[in-house]
Amino acid sequence: MQTRRSAQAESDAIASAASASAHAVLLSQDLWVELQRWMDPSSKVALRSVSKAMRRQVDGAVAVGSSPASGFAAAKLAAALARWHAVRHLTLLAVAKASDLKPLATAPLSRLESLTIRQWGTTLSGNLGATLRTLDVGGCGALCSIDAVRSCVKLVCLRMPCVNVADLKPLTACSETLGELWLAGSGAVTNLAPLKACLSLRKLDLRGCNPELHSQVDDLQLTCTQLANPASVELEGLVHELQPNMKPDIRTAALEELADIAEEGRPLQEFVSAGAIPAVVRLLGPESTADMQSAAANVLQILASGHGDQVQTAIAVAGAIPDLVWLLEPRSCADVQEAAARALSELAFSHTQNQAAIAAAGAIPALVRLLGPVSSTHVQVAAARALFHLAADLNKDAITATGVVPVLVRLLRPGSSGVMQTLAAAVLSNLASEHAHNQTAIAAAGAIPVLVQRLETDLTPHVQSAMTFALSSLADNHAQNRAAIITAGAIPALVRGLGPESSAALQASAASLLCNLMCQNDAQDQAAAAVSAAIPALVQLLGLNVSARVQKAVAQALRNLTSKTAQIKAAITAAGAIPAAVQLLGSESSASAHAAAADVLRNLASKNADD
């Protein structure tokens, strides 16, 4: 065990390294806690000792108030800067008034390269130093003057989104070096003419600015030949607005804009180049507001659903999965739970590695809990959809072990919405698919009569398709379940599903279930007699110009039927199956449909030969 002396020595060493750091952050106690998000995990254990050491090292320059608005006094800042004379990056948070910046003009900051200011007043004046290369005053909404920039002759990047500055003339002082100007949301700017002197300008962000500015960009590009189209830099600007020291409303608005851009289908590489994914993932954590967490999860959900497995992997690598699972807990509000479940659903879709990672993070019991009556319908739907994707390839045993089957059967009943009933059936279908134990367990929970009842009484196409698919999964290679489905009276509803007014999806699923009900030889007389009612509808579909999926399912159902009794074969022949099967063989349908049609003809020919 480490002794107190050795632990103190380690803390002093860490604190010494921190005091020599080239990045100083002066802020109040609440904001210091938020700084944890920026630190390496191994450093967090020493956060308290580092904090105390930094306060000692600046002679108490860091105010320790109970509010982020506590700020610090100018005299204390002067003392801090006198000791931190070698600082290269300085962040000032909760600054109270313009006079607080006066010490910057006299302090020996010969190496200061970047300065970030938040919660500023109306005027930024004085001497910021000739070495300054990056100045960020984003979110200082009251700021209307940036005269201090005249002293920044080497300034390369100026970020001032959401400020009230109208005059850009001070920027002529750094015309030879200024390469980036970020003005998003600064509606007071109406004239870009001063920027014509900035020949090195490459990036100009005008999101949310006066629309008149966009008409001035063409003229500006005549002199600023390196200037990119403002639309191409908007992602980078939005990502910057997600930084922890930005106000919550600015970060939330930036997330909403990112969601809109993601829905436009922008190339994934643009988001990667801008660093959008890790920036969004960071806002899922406990330091963010509920609005930010919900908006961040929404962005990830849209990205994961529109860019394939590459972005699904990138989001998982960025560490989103544990945070999203954490957001499913009861401590989160309904909107956050829904957004997190939706994001996890898209991350799991057809991605077995993510499915395993999501399950390992503890998502399954959390999602099952969200199916309960306490949750809103929207949350239940999002949770069910996530479970549906998680059960597609892996996790069938883990999901069933939570006791979710009776819950899903309950959600099939009329009290639930049509969407919820559809998703409950879909989850049961995936759980039963190629899993004999789950097939038996689902049937034992009373699912079959409920599924058949919904099939008979709810004429909504997507509900009928979902019920039929679930019954087909339960019937596949399970003789007892096939008999139970027939006994429950499913055949008349399936025949109705074959009708010309039904959707192709319903026709295919009904034919597939009929095919399953007639496979092998179990309960042959009962099944054959019941399914024979579907013969005219099946033969009619076989001869129509329907989708390849429907043709295949119908042909396979007739193939199984033609292997039954002579009476069934005669009925199939009388319904016109032979010319319909021949026509299918000459079509451009799938190879499996052709094979099934050939089997139909072979089975019928075998019957005729016997006669």
Side-chain angles (χ1 to χ4, degrees), residues 236-442:
E236 186 176 345
L238 286 170
V239 170
H240 180 78
E241 292 171 17
L242 300 180
Q243 289 187 356
N245 56 28
M246 284 291 190
K247 294 179 180 179
D249 58 337
I250 292 178
R251 284 183 280 175
T252 302
L255 287 167
E256 291 171 351
E257 286 192 57
L258 279 173
D260 291 339
I261 293 173
E263 286 184 331
E264 294 173 1
R266 290 279 191 90
L268 172 63
Q269 187 55 44
E270 291 187 20
F271 290 91
V272 173
S273 299
I277 292 176
V280 172
V281 170
R282 281 195 296 270
L283 294 181
L284 296 172
E287 299 84 0
S288 298
T289 65
D291 286 343
M292 278 191 280
Q293 292 170 336
S294 178
N298 185 46
V299 172
L300 296 177
Q301 179 249 320
I302 295 171
L303 286 174
S305 64
H307 294 88
D309 60 356
Q310 185 179 0
V311 72
Q312 290 173 301
T313 300
I315 292 172
V317 170
I321 289 175
D323 283 345
L324 288 169
V325 173
W326 180 80
L327 292 177
L328 299 175
E329 297 300 323
R331 70 176 70 88
S332 299
C333 67
D335 288 344
V336 172
Q337 291 174 331
E338 178 189 358
R342 287 164 61 90
L344 288 169
S345 176
E346 294 300 336
L347 289 173
F349 177 65
S350 297
H351 197 298
T352 54
Q353 186 175 356
N354 280 0
Q355 291 169 10
I358 292 169
I364 290 175
L367 290 168
V368 170
R369 184 173 57 252
L370 292 180
L371 294 177
V374 176
S375 299
S376 68
T377 299
H378 293 296
V379 173
Q380 289 178 330
V381 166
R385 185 173 283 111
L387 288 169
F388 168 69
H389 291 313
L390 287 170
D393 300 299
L394 309 174
N395 306 312
K396 298 180 190 292
D397 290 331
I399 294 173
T400 306
T402 64
V404 72
V405 171
V407 177
L408 292 170
V409 173
R410 173 179 58 80
L411 292 173
L412 290 172
R413 299 184 183 278
S416 302
S417 67
V419 174
M420 191 65 251
Q421 292 173 355
T422 299
L423 284 169
V427 176
L428 290 171
S429 179
N430 275 354
L431 291 175
S433 179
E434 299 180 359
H435 198 296
H437 175 76
N438 282 355
Q439 287 175 310
T440 301
I442 293 170

Side-chain angles (χ1 to χ4, degrees), residues 49-363:
S49 61
V50 170
S51 174
K52 293 177 182 177
M54 292 182 76
R55 289 201 292 274
R56 288 197 304 269
Q57 185 260 342
V58 298
D59 292 334
V62 179
V64 185
S66 61
S67 165
S70 59
F72 48 84
K76 293 182 178 180
L77 175 60
L81 297 178
R83 286 185 171 271
W84 279 347
H85 59 85
V87 68
R88 297 199 307 271
H89 310 286
L90 180 61
T91 300
L92 304 180
L93 304 175
V95 181
K97 49 189 180 298
S99 60
D100 286 347
L101 261 195
K102 288 182 179 179
L104 286 175
T106 57
L109 299 177
S110 58
R111 301 183 185 179
L112 186 62
E113 296 177 7
S114 70
L115 174 62
T116 299
I117 303 174
R118 296 288 182 263
Q119 297 183 22
W120 188 245
T122 59
T123 303
L124 184 60
S125 58
N127 183 1
L128 297 182
T131 60
L132 196 66
R133 296 175 60 84
T134 300
L135 175 62
D136 184 352
V137 291
C140 300
L143 184 65
C144 58
S145 174
I146 52 170
D147 285 342
V149 173
R150 297 182 190 275
S151 64
C152 307
V153 294
K154 295 184 179 180
L155 193 65
V156 174
C157 176
L158 174 58
R159 295 184 179 273
M160 52 179 201
C162 305
V163 300
N164 200 33
V165 173
D167 185 9
L168 300 181
K169 291 179 182 177
L171 299 182
T172 57
C174 52
S175 60
E176 295 184 3
T177 58
L178 188 64
E180 301 179 15
L181 179 59
W182 304 85
L183 296 172
S186 299
V189 178
T190 59
N191 186 10
L192 298 179
L195 300 181
K196 292 183 178 179
C198 303
L199 303 183
S200 300
L201 191 63
R202 303 183 311 278
K203 297 179 179 180
L204 178 62
D205 184 13
L206 298 176
R207 291 175 296 107
C209 292
N210 192 317
E212 296 178 3
L213 296 183
H214 294 276
S215 63
Q216 301 178 32
V217 173
D218 291 340
D219 290 339
L220 190 60
Q221 288 176 323
L222 295 177
T223 54
C224 303
T225 56
Q226 301 179 55
L227 184 62
N229 188 316
S232 66
V233 301
E234 62 180 338
L235 275 175
E236 186 176 345
L238 286 170
V239 170
H240 180 78
E241 292 171 17
L242 300 180
Q243 289 187 356
N245 56 28
M246 284 291 190
K247 294 179 180 179
D249 58 337
I250 292 178
R251 284 183 280 175
T252 302
L255 287 167
E256 291 171 351
E257 286 192 57
L258 279 173
D260 291 339
I261 293 173
E263 286 184 331
E264 294 173 1
R266 290 279 191 90
L268 172 63
Q269 187 55 44
E270 291 187 20
F271 290 91
V272 173
S273 299
I277 292 176
V280 172
V281 170
R282 281 195 296 270
L283 294 181
L284 296 172
E287 299 84 0
S288 298
T289 65
D291 286 343
M292 278 191 280
Q293 292 170 336
S294 178
N298 185 46
V299 172
L300 296 177
Q301 179 249 320
I302 295 171
L303 286 174
S305 64
H307 294 88
D309 60 356
Q310 185 179 0
V311 72
Q312 290 173 301
T313 300
I315 292 172
V317 170
I321 289 175
D323 283 345
L324 288 169
V325 173
W326 180 80
L327 292 177
L328 299 175
E329 297 300 323
R331 70 176 70 88
S332 299
C333 67
D335 288 344
V336 172
Q337 291 174 331
E338 178 189 358
R342 287 164 61 90
L344 288 169
S345 176
E346 294 300 336
L347 289 173
F349 177 65
S350 297
H351 197 298
T352 54
Q353 186 175 356
N354 280 0
Q355 291 169 10
I358 292 169

